[in-house]
Amino acid sequence: MGRENKKDSVAALHREQILKAAGQLFSQKGYEQTTIADLSEASGYSRRTIYAYFESKEEMLYHLIEKGLQALKAEIEDSVSLQGDFVTRYKAICQAMRRYQKNHPHSVAHVNNANAASLEGGELSETAKRILLLGTEINRLLTAFLQAGKESGMVRRDVVPALSVFVLWSGITSLLTLAETKGAFLCSQFSISEDQLLDYGFQQLINSILEVRISDGLQ
């Protein structure tokens, strides 16, 4: 390994350690309440070192958002390329979003609550620009997936794929949040597992745009 490559690898490791500490603190204390002093103590890096790798606390958050979206995009690409029918690929996308919500909570929270108009205006950091690009690319993947379903006759003719992406995204993320907050109660109430609860919800959502409804499997 060359000197420059080794230097880059070491820098990447330091950045990752700082981001790991930031993610943990944002979960424990909240983003607004977390200070650079907190990050310095939790990560073991001095304030000066932290600022050498990140311009601000906001930039750390953006990197966490970007990391989550990169993972989600890769999984969605794999999902839409799977062998099988439209519903099989849709369920794979839902499971990808389930893992995204579990493994990248800060990315999920800020993507769902982001004001796109404010992000698109003014001067943006390179990380923020990459976040916007990732969001656009994910939307294009999902729009193409729904369009293919429409052309195959699985999705109704009156469905607008690009708009339906946002509707389904909202429905899936709301369902996943429901499972997190009230899943134990619902599973007990209906004598089902969390997987069954989510599968039921995923199917109800996709049935809203299918030409022929699929069975929910719960009677």
Side-chain angles (χ1 to χ4, degrees):
M1 179 183 293
R3 181 176 297 178
E4 288 301 317
N5 288 338
K6 185 176 181 179
K7 183 179 179 180
D8 289 343
S9 296
V10 171
L13 177 62
H14 291 326
R15 290 170 64 87
E16 186 62 28
Q17 290 300 317
I18 294 169
L19 282 178
K20 182 178 179 181
Q24 291 172 343
L25 283 173
F26 293 165
S27 293
Q28 293 166 5
K29 300 186 65 172
Y31 170 74
E32 295 295 340
Q33 288 69 38
T34 297
T35 66
I36 296 298
D38 293 330
L39 287 164
S40 177
E41 181 179 356
S43 66
Y45 292 92
S46 68
R47 293 169 60 96
R48 181 176 180 179
T49 301
I50 290 173
Y51 280 121
Y53 289 108
F54 298 98
E55 293 181 2
S56 63
K57 186 175 69 171
E58 182 182 52
E59 191 69 10
M60 294 179 213
L61 177 60
Y62 281 172
H63 277 279
L64 289 171
I65 296 170
E66 180 187 15
K67 184 177 180 180
L69 287 175
Q70 286 173 335
L72 178 61
K73 181 190 172 189
E75 287 214 53
I76 289 177
E77 288 174 332
D78 290 341
S79 298
V80 298
S81 301
L82 284 174
Q83 295 295 320
D85 60 15
F86 177 83
V87 174
T88 297
R89 294 193 293 274
Y90 163 73
K91 289 183 177 180
I93 290 170
C94 290
Q95 291 303 323
M97 291 185 66
R98 184 182 182 183
R99 287 187 290 273
Y100 170 56
Q101 185 142 328
K102 178 181 179 181
N103 298 330
H104 304 279
H106 305 294
S107 184
V108 173
H110 288 273
V111 165
N112 290 339
N113 296 327
N115 183 331
S118 64
L119 280 175
E120 291 172 358
E123 292 296 324
L124 295 177
S125 69
E126 291 304 312
T127 312
K129 291 177 182 178
R130 291 195 299 270
I131 289 171
L132 286 174
L133 181 59
L134 280 166
T136 299
E137 291 172 345
I138 288 171
N139 286 339
R140 285 175 180 167
L141 281 169
L142 294 174
T143 298
F145 168 69
L146 293 185
Q147 182 61 40
K150 186 174 178 179
E151 291 171 0
S152 71
M154 288 291 296
V155 174
R156 296 198 322 268
R157 288 185 178 182
D158 62 327
V159 167
V160 181
L163 181 57
S164 295
V165 165
F166 291 95
V167 175
L168 287 172
W169 178 287
S170 177
I172 292 169
T173 54
S174 295
L175 175 62
L176 290 168
T177 299
L178 176 68
E180 284 184 2
T181 58
K182 299 181 180 178
F185 168 76
L186 292 172
C187 290
S188 174
Q189 188 79 4
F190 294 97
S191 300
I192 56 176
S193 66
E194 183 176 298
D195 286 342
Q196 288 175 309
L197 169 65
L198 288 173
D199 194 50
Y200 177 82
F202 293 149
Q203 290 188 21
Q204 292 302 311
L205 289 169
I206 200 62
N207 274 336
S208 67
I209 66 170
L210 291 182
E211 191 68 51
V212 178
R213 289 174 60 87
I214 56 176
S215 171
D216 53 50
L218 295 179
Q219 299 297 332

